[in-house]
Amino acid sequence: MAKKSKIAANERRKAVVVRYAQRRAELKEVVRTGAAEERASAVRELARQPRDASATRVRNRDAVDGRPRGYLGTFGLSRIRFRQMAHRGELPGVTKASW
């Protein structure tokens, strides 16, 4: 189980990313296609935004207990939780391999 504070901080980051997503996309488009002065002002405005507004600051965590390592994106679970749930038959379509 991950620390509650780490899980809460990650949830705050997700909220900030959603709040700034549209404006960041607009600024990045200006940086990509705009004229020199527009590009410079867009870069400055992007730098003024909070660091947590960037989507790369959000950490993928296990949906059940918040474990940050060994995350399987297809299922939203860590490798340990995935194995436990698969053995109990709680994941439809997942079977134990045997060859």
Side-chain angles (χ1 to χ4, degrees):
M1 181 75 190
K3 290 170 61 173
K4 301 277 188 201
S5 60
K6 292 289 188 179
I7 295 170
N10 203 45
E11 293 303 316
R12 274 195 314 272
R13 282 189 195 102
K14 285 180 185 177
V16 172
V17 166
V18 169
R19 190 173 2 172
Y20 284 91
Q22 183 177 358
R23 183 62 182 149
R24 282 184 68 84
E26 292 168 0
L27 290 171
K28 286 186 167 230
E29 184 62 26
V30 170
V31 168
R32 196 171 67 78
T33 61
E37 310 93 38
E38 293 173 343
R39 187 175 300 142
S41 67
V43 168
R44 279 193 301 275
E45 189 171 340
L46 271 171
R48 279 197 305 267
Q49 288 187 345
R51 282 188 178 186
D52 285 344
S54 174
T56 58
R57 303 269 295 187
V58 176
R59 176 82 180 190
N60 288 328
R61 290 183 173 270
D62 185 316
V64 178
D65 66 0
R67 180 181 167 85
R69 305 277 179 115
Y71 177 80
L72 302 173
T74 307
F75 299 95
L77 300 170
S78 68
R79 61 185 173 80
I80 297 166
R81 182 72 53 187
F82 172 79
R83 187 168 188 267
Q84 290 171 350
M85 291 177 77
H87 282 304
R88 286 186 297 220
E90 297 175 358
L91 300 174
V94 176
T95 57
K96 189 167 188 275
S98 130
W99 62 89

